[in-house]
Structures are given as C-alpha cells and as structure tokens.
Amino acid sequence: MKKYILFIIALFTAAPLIAQDTVPQEWSFRSRVLQVDQANVAAFEKAVAKKTKMYNSKEGQPRWITFRILSGPQANNYLRMQMTTDISDFDNEDVKGNAYWQKTVGSLHTSLGNRFWSRNNWSSYVPDDSKPMTLRRVMYYNYKDSGEQDFWRFRRRVKIAMTESGYGSRMSVLVCTSGCEGNVVQVRFHHDGFTGQSSDYGEPLQNMIAKYNELYGEDAYEQDSNSVDATLEDNGRIIRHHEIIPELSS
C-alpha cells in the first residue's frame, strides 16, 4: 500500500492537471451481495423500498444504493452499497434502521460478504453535464504487485483522454480496501441502458482512443492496454452488468 501511495503521488505531480482534480470529493463504500430466492423477489423489493424511504432518504441518514445484478453467477440477485464522504460514518450503527431491516427483510435474503471500497478520484471521470444513468458495465480487475505502475498509468491516461475528448458518460474507479484478495479494482462505466452502452462504445470511444494516441504516442492505447493485460492474475478481468433500482436507493 505504501508503494502504491508513493507511486500515485509521483505520477500525479508529473501528469497534466485537470479541473476534476482541483476539488475532489472523497467517497467510500461498503458493499454486500444480497441473495434472494425468486419466490421472494416481490416481497423483498417492497420491503427494501419501504425501509429505504423511512431510514435512508433524509438528511443525516445512511445513504444506500441498490443494484440488480444482471450477469454472472449472482445474476438476478442484488448488490447494495452504503456510500459516504466521511468514512467515520461506518462506525455509526443505525440501530432503528437495522432492526427494521431484520424484521422485514432479514428472512427474505442471505447476505454474502462485506467489502469496503474507496473511489479513486485520480482516475475516475465525470463529464461536466453528468446525468443519472441506469446501467453499469463493471470491469473487476485483480492485478499483480509487479504490475501496479502499468495498471495505474493506463487508468490515469484513460481519464485524461476522456476529459480531452469530451467523453459523454461517467467512469468511476473503486479500489477495494478490505474484504478482497489481491489488488482488486472495479471500473464502473455508466450508460443509459444497453442502447446507451452501444452508443458510448461507438464514436465516443473511438474519439477517446484517438485522443489517447495523440497524447501518448502512436498505438499507445493498444500497447498500454496490452501491458495491463500482462499484469493481471488468472481470471483477473471479470465483466458484470448492474442495473440501479431507484426505489431501493437513497
């Protein structure tokens, strides 16, 4: 971790500064997968929606966001994430909200795991006119210690190329700080449904790649991407799709 921090500081000071880095907002998350039998889906969603409205929708209450998992072994289950800009919030037990959850939702699901994440502002990208979007294409990476520099150089360069090319949709990079094995990172691309994903990966993506190569050299995008591939552990790149459920989110 110390090596990672020193590398980020060194590379950040050498890289061009962009507006999003001037006032970064620090976000921390804790997440868990909620496994629900299909027979219980309707009751589960109704109960979570009511609990969220009562205990997670007002100022000062814990903020939660809920996704339906669309692909992979946990498809049709749920990912629920608490989000905060003050990590000390994780010390505060929501006694009433948790009791209500156990009473109404506890028997309708099985909670799988608990992970903590930190948003890496240095490599995350938010367009100026960012709007809420329903779909996340999530790429989970697990890179070797020896590949740390190659991995983070590429992620930083992608952000800069997105900024310079005026890329229209958001990219959030979350680093696993606890609960994962290895150097686990998720890169979350925000799309307006699958139609939006198809559109984003057309001309906007090609413009970003062209800008990347203009900034860092001919074929730099392909070369840097290949370098990242070489840093990954076995099965070190996994792709999932998540769909946000507004009624179950703060």
Side-chain angles (χ1 to χ4, degrees):
M1 180 60 72
K2 181 179 180 181
K3 181 177 71 172
Y4 166 78
I5 294 172
L6 292 175
F7 167 70
I8 291 296
I9 292 173
L11 194 54
F12 179 76
T13 56
L17 294 178
I18 43 185
Q20 296 178 85
D21 295 318
T22 56
V23 188
Q25 189 170 28
E26 302 293 338
W27 285 99
S28 295
F29 305 82
R30 61 177 170 185
S31 69
R32 56 196 177 117
V33 172
L34 306 179
Q35 195 172 62
V36 180
D37 290 339
Q38 289 303 296
N40 293 329
V41 163
F44 171 84
E45 291 193 359
K46 181 178 180 180
V48 174
K50 185 174 181 179
K51 187 268 181 184
T52 301
K53 184 176 181 179
M54 292 173 62
Y55 294 102
N56 307 118
S57 63
K58 301 179 179 65
E59 185 70 26
Q61 293 180 331
R63 298 179 61 184
W64 289 87
I65 185 169
T66 304
F67 298 91
R68 182 177 292 109
I69 301 171
L70 301 182
S71 61
Q74 292 298 333
N76 299 317
N77 289 306
Y78 302 84
L79 175 71
R80 190 157 163 91
M81 304 176 73
Q82 184 182 359
M83 52 194 297
T84 181
T85 55
D86 184 353
I87 195 171
S88 67
D89 285 341
F90 295 145
D91 288 330
N92 301 325
E93 182 182 0
D94 181 14
V95 177
K96 291 184 178 179
N98 290 346
Y100 186 85
W101 175 277
Q102 289 301 322
K103 179 181 178 180
T104 60
V105 185
S107 64
L108 300 176
H109 78 287
T110 300
S111 182
L112 304 179
N114 194 30
R115 291 181 171 184
F116 290 87
W117 305 85
S118 176
R119 183 178 187 271
N120 186 285
N121 290 315
W122 185 83
S123 58
S124 296
Y125 169 73
V126 183
D128 291 336
D129 59 346
S130 179
K131 301 178 181 64
M133 296 187 178
T134 58
L135 187 70
R136 305 290 186 270
R137 182 174 184 264
V138 187
M139 303 184 73
Y140 290 93
Y141 293 94
N142 190 349
Y143 65 83
K144 301 173 184 176
D145 289 343
S146 60
E148 189 169 56
Q149 293 192 17
D150 287 334
F151 182 86
W152 287 108
R153 182 192 301 113
F154 180 64
R155 295 263 47 99
R156 174 63 173 179
R157 287 180 170 185
V158 166
K159 172 182 179 171
I160 293 173
M162 283 183 163
T163 303
E164 294 295 324
S165 66
Y167 196 81
S169 60
R170 183 170 181 162
M171 175 186 69
S172 299
V173 180
L174 307 186
V175 180
C176 187
T177 57
S178 182
C180 299
E181 297 181 4
N183 303 301
V184 178
V185 176
Q186 55 172 307
V187 182
R188 304 177 65 87
F189 297 95
H190 298 221
H191 303 294
D192 188 13
F194 285 99
T195 300
Q197 174 182 303
S198 179
S199 176
D200 292 340
Y201 291 164
E203 184 176 351
L205 176 61
Q206 295 307 312
N207 289 342
M208 186 278 287
I209 293 174
K211 179 59 67 174
Y212 191 109
N213 291 334
E214 177 186 327
L215 291 169
Y216 303 112
E218 185 177 356
D219 296 327
Y221 182 87
E222 181 178 1
Q223 293 169 10
D224 289 353
S225 180
N226 289 339
S227 294
V228 169
D229 288 343
T231 75
L232 301 180
E233 301 283 4
D234 292 341
N235 298 317
R237 187 203 312 269
I238 299 173
I239 300 175
R240 299 287 185 263
H241 277 84
H242 298 162
E243 178 185 37
I244 191 171
I245 309 178
E247 297 80 7
L248 278 59
S249 304
S250 298

